Amino acid sequence: MKVLVIGLGGVTNGGKTTLAEKLKKMLPNCDIISQDDFFKPESEVETDERGFKLYDVLDALYMDEMVKSIHNWMKSRTCSAVVTEEPQNTRDSVKNTEDVYILIVEGFLLYNYEPLNELWNRRYFLTLPYEECKRRRSTRVYQPADTPGYFDGHVWPMYLKYKNELEENTSNIVYLDGTKPQEELLSCVYSDIIQELKKLREGSLMA
């Protein structure tokens, strides 16, 4: 069996989780691992001199456990093997791809951790402008809740820092405009993954 590991990263509130869940319904043999499930407990997350909990850094996450989970999935390749929702013309696209297992890994800090970078088949990064990101963030309820000034003082600076590191050091990332309609983003990423599936399958046939 072949596996396809897809990274769906990017800015907070960029639509990563929604996009991942929609893709899971459309793609055969597809599972999701979410980086948010690997946050350390609040008591283990560092606090800076301003009193901000430093959640938007790699040290706030059990990254080794996340890598282990992905490796375990790749070994077991267990999933439902059922396409639960098919848009028009999907049936022919996914035909003959049932021998490939797909894992979508979604999160805000996927590509700045070296042990993960050797696993990706495709990488996507959702972006948002400052005002839109701040607006979306303000409508969400977090536990613990964002303190006054937290977005401007920690969340947005950390996003820019890691995004700049990516742009300087990493290639082969597809950047997606998170202000575009969800259906447009879904169509773009879905079509791209289908092409990857076909390449994988053709490669296995030629091997």
Side-chain angles (χ1 to χ4, degrees):
M1 290 288 182
K2 296 272 187 180
V3 297
L4 192 69
V5 182
I6 307 293
L8 194 54
V11 67
T12 177
N13 293 276
K16 301 179 294 294
T17 304
T18 303
L19 189 55
E21 288 170 352
K22 288 185 176 182
L23 285 166
K24 184 179 189 296
K25 290 179 180 179
M26 294 170 65
L27 293 163
N29 308 336
C30 184
D31 290 313
I32 297 172
I33 287 178
S34 174
Q35 191 173 37
D36 284 359
D37 293 337
F38 297 90
F39 271 114
K40 294 176 180 176
E42 186 180 356
S43 60
E44 293 183 32
V45 176
E46 287 187 39
T47 304
D48 72 5
E49 68 279 358
R50 299 165 297 179
F52 292 155
K53 282 284 183 181
L54 304 181
Y55 275 104
D56 289 59
V57 296
L58 287 169
D59 283 345
L61 297 144
Y62 292 121
M63 291 302 295
D64 53 341
E65 292 298 320
M66 184 175 175
V67 173
K68 199 179 298 179
S69 293
I70 295 171
H71 279 296
N72 287 341
W73 178 91
M74 291 172 77
K75 286 174 190 169
S76 62
R77 299 186 294 277
T78 57
C79 59
S80 61
V82 173
V83 180
T84 55
E85 179 182 314
E86 291 187 349
Q88 193 173 6
N89 299 327
T90 297
R91 188 179 300 275
D92 290 338
S93 299
V94 299
K95 189 169 63 178
N96 297 326
T97 58
E98 286 78 10
D99 53 348
V100 179
Y101 286 81
I102 304 166
L103 179 64
I104 297 173
V105 183
E106 64 96 1
F108 70 109
L109 275 180
L110 296 184
Y111 312 133
N112 304 79
Y113 188 66
E114 198 55 42
L116 279 179
N117 284 337
E118 62 196 42
L119 302 177
W120 309 117
N121 293 98
R122 292 293 279 167
R123 293 186 286 187
Y124 303 94
F125 190 95
L126 281 151
T127 65
L128 283 176
Y130 166 82
E131 291 293 347
E132 177 62 12
C133 185
K134 189 172 185 177
R135 184 193 68 77
R136 292 188 190 184
R137 177 96 180 188
S138 69
T139 65
R140 293 270 296 275
V141 178
Y142 288 89
Q143 188 59 43
D146 283 358
T147 52
Y150 188 69
F151 181 85
D152 287 318
H154 176 62
V155 175
W156 189 253
M158 287 299 99
Y159 163 67
L160 293 180
K161 174 180 181 287
Y162 285 116
K163 182 170 177 283
N164 287 339
E165 285 178 10
L166 284 189
E167 290 170 344
E168 288 175 12
N169 304 317
T170 313
S171 57
N172 301 320
I173 292 178
V174 178
Y175 289 89
L176 302 169
D177 180 355
T179 64
K180 289 186 176 177
Q182 268 285 336
E183 293 309 312
E184 184 178 333
L185 292 170
L186 181 66
S187 175
C188 170
V189 176
Y190 174 78
S191 300
D192 201 33
I193 293 173
I194 290 299
Q195 290 305 311
E196 286 297 307
L197 285 172
K198 287 178 179 174
K199 283 184 206 169
L200 258 186
R201 189 166 186 282
E202 286 165 6
S204 66
L205 289 175
M206 292 171 66

